[in-house]
Amino acid sequence: MPLILVHTERFAEHQTPPGHPERSERAEVMDVVAERWRERGAEIVAPREATHEQLARVHDAAHLRRIAETAGQALALDADTYTSPESYDIARLAAGAVVDAVERVMESRSHTAFALVRPPGHHAERDRAMGFCLYNNVAVAAAHARALGAGRVAVVDYDVHHGNGTQHIFEADPAVLYVSTHQYPYYPGTGAATEIGSGAGAGFTVNLPLEAGAVDEDYRTVFDRVVLPVLRQFKPDLLLVSAGFDAHERDPLGGMRVTTPAFGAMTRELRSVAEECCHGRIVAVTEGGYDLQALGASLDAAVSALAPSPPPLPWPSTTIASTRGRDAADAARRAIAPFWALG
Ligand SMILES: [Zn+2]
């Protein structure tokens, strides 16, 4: 089965002011990673634009109209979120890329796919752009998978920021499980362990708020004690990954100490769960990552975890003692105890 990298050099045109971390060089890093995997036999697919119907499953009409009106204009939508004249087209391509990746995986043309996209998506709410994000790409993907017949979809988000948009869009929906590891307290302010979903969706939002400074072992602890056992009980028909690399120790925005090999290990663990639960169906989509060297290396490690014959990708071991992972796992387990059997 080919590995599918959905990307386009046009993502470079979603630009923000010089000096801003969300700059076009990030798209060039993605192009270098994609080219390296093309040489190793990966299939590279150029995306088509998401349709209005696909976007409207997770965004309201006023938001879609507002983003469409930015076409051809350079605007500030909030303190962090700018558009260039090209952003509307590029954002529709980014959302379309994850739609395409989901279709290929759900139709078993490939079991794994990685969508390399700009702009990111997980902060975008149903009704507004936020935190560099115009459309919530991973939410569009989850809704599309449901429309294609997936009964249960899991989203795991290891970006250093909490995916407020993804959580809110699905918080009352028991068919979409949202699990996030993130720095807390931190931007965007959401993601406490006690946020567990609402109504019929209670228990289907799982937050692992990690204190700044968390290391690889902390992530391993929360994966072993919460993320992986909850996924195995939920038994998704498709696993989606919000793959942000801003928890990396080199990242200028995030305050975590995660190393490059840990991104390979986390992604490999998620693929293993997908192989147990859903015939290996897993789609990863890029989110943040603001140190270019760390982004390139971590993205490469994550892509390798979804390759046809992945290397072992073990968890790295550091010698730094930290209780951040245990604390986050304990808080999450207390909050979700009524819903999941975690021993
Ligand atoms: Zn982020």
Side-chain angles (χ1 to χ4, degrees):
M1 287 291 177
L3 172 74
I4 302 167
L5 300 165
V6 190
H7 84 125
T8 169
E9 65 284 351
R10 288 190 66 203
F11 292 147
E13 294 162 28
H14 173 71
Q15 288 186 334
T16 48
H20 195 280
E22 182 66 5
R23 289 174 62 200
S24 61
E25 288 89 343
R26 302 193 58 233
E28 291 164 20
V29 168
M30 291 184 180
D31 279 354
V32 168
V33 171
E35 190 51 41
R36 196 154 53 228
W37 283 93
R38 186 203 304 273
E39 289 165 6
R40 294 182 214 166
E43 181 185 357
I44 310 292
V45 180
R48 38 198 173 117
E49 293 182 345
T51 66
H52 185 274
E53 180 196 357
Q54 289 159 355
L55 297 170
R57 293 187 185 121
V58 301
H59 291 295
D60 68 22
H63 175 67
L64 295 180
R65 204 163 43 241
R66 214 155 33 239
I67 299 302
E69 285 167 1
T70 71
Q73 301 190 66
L75 294 172
L77 298 176
D78 78 3
D80 306 306
T81 314
Y82 302 86
T83 67
S84 75
E86 293 275 353
S87 291
Y88 169 61
D89 292 335
I90 306 305
R92 284 188 62 179
L93 284 171
V98 290
V99 164
D100 191 34
V102 164
E103 284 181 1
R104 286 164 184 273
V105 168
M106 291 300 291
E107 293 164 5
S108 295
R109 279 180 282 163
S110 171
H111 285 175
T112 67
F114 213 120
L116 308 188
V117 304
R118 310 299 319 134
H122 70 157
H123 295 307
E125 296 275 2
R126 183 176 290 280
D127 61 353
R128 68 183 188 279
M130 186 174 157
F132 314 146
C133 305
L134 303 182
Y135 301 128
N136 194 314
N137 303 317
V138 80
V140 170
H144 193 63
R146 294 275 294 128
L148 292 177
R152 288 180 306 281
V153 178
V155 180
V156 176
D157 184 337
Y158 59 59
D159 188 277
V160 79
H161 301 98
H162 181 242
N164 56 287
T166 316
Q167 172 173 305
H168 291 149
I169 287 166
F170 297 112
E171 65 188 348
D173 184 353
V176 179
L177 172 71
Y178 178 67
V179 182
S180 176
T181 62
H182 47 271
Q183 185 172 326
Y184 187 88
Y186 193 44
Y187 182 88
T190 50
T194 50
E195 296 167 23
I196 58 165
S198 60
F204 295 94
T205 294
V206 178
N207 281 306
L208 292 142
L210 291 152
E211 187 187 327
V215 297
D216 297 343
E217 270 89 348
D218 293 310
Y219 279 77
R220 185 175 189 173
T221 296
V222 298
F223 264 61
D224 285 347
R225 294 189 60 211
V226 179
V227 177
L228 301 175
V230 167
L231 286 172
R232 289 192 177 100
Q233 286 176 52
F234 181 67
K235 293 187 174 59
D237 297 308
L238 172 70
L239 179 49
L240 300 173
V241 184
S242 266
F245 302 100
D246 40 12
H248 195 282
E249 60 185 351
R250 288 179 55 97
D251 195 273
L253 297 191
M256 299 308 208
R257 293 180 282 175
V258 176
T259 65
T260 299
F263 289 101
M266 283 193 279
T267 314
R268 184 74 186 87
E269 295 266 34
L270 296 174
R271 184 186 186 169
S272 295
V273 170
E275 284 168 350
E276 287 170 40
C277 298
C278 52
H279 312 289
R281 288 195 289 259
I282 182 168
V283 173
V285 53
T286 51
E287 299 283 359
Y290 305 96
D291 178 86
L292 297 183
Q293 182 187 324
L295 172 66
S298 304
L299 179 58
D300 199 61
V303 172
S304 73
L306 300 194
S309 302
L313 297 168
W315 285 96
S317 55
T318 61
T319 54
I320 304 167
S322 168
T323 61
R324 293 169 180 83
R326 192 190 66 201
D327 295 345
D330 286 349
R333 286 165 67 106
R334 272 195 302 276
I336 62 173
F339 307 97
W340 304 98
L342 297 175

